[in-house]
Amino acid sequence: MQFDVSFYTTADGDKPAKDFIDGLDKKLRTKVLRSINLLQDNGNETREPDSKPLEDGIFELRTSFGGNITRVLYFFYVGQRIILTNGFVKKTNKTPPAEIAIAKKYRADFLEREKEHERI
């Protein structure tokens, strides 16, 4: 079963994870896009080293190429949907708490706007 992977979009139309991926060099971007395809094909069956649960329903999609390590954070939503929230180049052993906090903030905003959309 294929999952629907999409980018979280802010109220003003920005897509933080997409902007991050678009800003990577070509080879690393290609590898990240391959990881996203893997996630799309396998969804919640995607495990380490490709994906890792962080906390409170936030996961990281893990990609490395050469000396560069990237993470794209995401969460699952109803109906086989995966929402990519934000990404960063990893420089420390642990995922920075600030990045997880951003993903949670984006998820809360996404859920609130989905709820509003359902009421209309």
Side-chain angles (χ1 to χ4, degrees):
M1 172 181 275
Q2 189 110 11
F3 283 71
D4 173 27
V5 177
S6 57
F7 293 105
Y8 161 76
T9 305
T10 65
D12 57 5
D14 289 337
K15 296 180 179 181
K18 182 179 187 318
D19 293 343
F20 167 73
I21 293 165
D22 287 348
L24 297 172
D25 74 57
K26 188 176 181 188
K27 288 182 179 178
L28 188 53
R29 182 173 54 244
T30 299
K31 191 122 193 246
V32 170
L33 293 173
R34 200 173 301 137
S35 295
I36 291 171
N37 285 336
L38 180 75
L39 183 62
Q40 186 174 19
D41 291 342
N42 299 311
N44 54 348
E45 296 297 318
T46 309
R47 302 278 191 260
E48 288 191 54
D50 302 302
S51 176
K52 180 179 174 184
L54 294 175
E55 63 181 60
D56 192 28
I58 300 294
F59 296 79
E60 65 180 7
L61 188 61
R62 309 167 77 167
T63 307
S64 59
F65 182 80
N68 295 310
I69 301 170
T70 67
R71 299 292 186 254
V72 176
L73 303 188
Y74 67 94
F75 63 92
F76 290 92
Y77 187 65
V78 179
Q80 304 293 96
R81 289 178 66 193
I82 298 170
I83 310 300
L84 306 176
T85 56
N86 55 309
F88 61 97
V89 174
K90 192 163 184 220
K91 305 238 187 253
T92 61
N93 285 338
K94 288 192 160 220
T95 298
E99 294 292 343
I100 298 170
I102 290 168
K104 288 179 179 181
K105 181 182 98 172
Y106 288 163
R107 179 181 60 190
D109 178 60
F110 173 86
L111 295 174
E112 183 61 34
R113 288 194 285 133
E114 281 292 308
K115 205 177 345 173
E116 290 295 320
H117 183 70
E118 289 173 5
R119 285 190 205 133
I120 297 173

